[in-house]
């Protein structure tokens, strides 16, 4: 006694099954795209940012504390970067 409800699914059953399948695949594709984008961005980050040397960090801290102005900061930062071998 498999078919208790007559001859199978009615129109609403087919509609619910179809909508559920579309939502399932849409969700699966969305998750895959978001995962790909997240991993792709994580791979790009380190290459674009140069790590600051301790001297540059100290110079930035002095600017933040107000010990030097922005013009002096830029001048000294340029001198530091040009002095590297």
């Amino acid at each position: 006694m498999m078919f208790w409800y007559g001859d199978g699914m009615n129109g609403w059953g087919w509609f619910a099954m179809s909508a559920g399948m579309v939502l399932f695949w849409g969700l699966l594709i969305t998750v895959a795209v978001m995962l790909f984008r997240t991993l792709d961005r994580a791979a790009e980050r380190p290459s674009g940012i140069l790590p600051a040397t301790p001297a540059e960090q100290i110079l930035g801290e002095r600017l933040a504390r107000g010990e030097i102005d922005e013009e002096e900061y830029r001048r000294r930062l340029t001198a530091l970067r040009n002095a590297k071998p």
Side-chain angles (χ1 to χ4, degrees):
M1 193 164 225
M2 294 286 283
F3 300 105
W4 292 349
Y5 299 108
D7 59 348
M9 266 194 278
N10 60 11
W12 288 109
W14 284 105
F15 173 76
M17 185 175 62
S18 299
M21 187 60 66
V22 168
L23 288 173
F24 169 76
W25 284 108
L27 181 65
L28 190 67
I29 291 170
T30 302
V31 168
V33 168
M34 290 176 67
L35 182 65
F36 177 75
R37 285 184 176 183
T38 302
L39 293 175
D40 189 40
R41 285 187 200 147
E44 288 179 4
R45 277 189 207 133
S47 64
I49 299 172
L50 295 174
T53 63
E56 291 177 3
Q57 289 176 350
I58 292 171
L59 193 60
E61 290 171 4
R62 289 186 64 195
L63 176 67
R65 285 192 299 260
E67 295 176 8
I68 58 174
D69 62 351
E70 188 174 346
E71 181 182 331
E72 186 174 355
Y73 169 77
R74 292 191 189 280
R75 185 174 48 82
R76 290 185 183 207
L77 185 62
T78 304
L80 278 174
R81 290 186 176 164
N82 289 338
K84 291 182 181 177

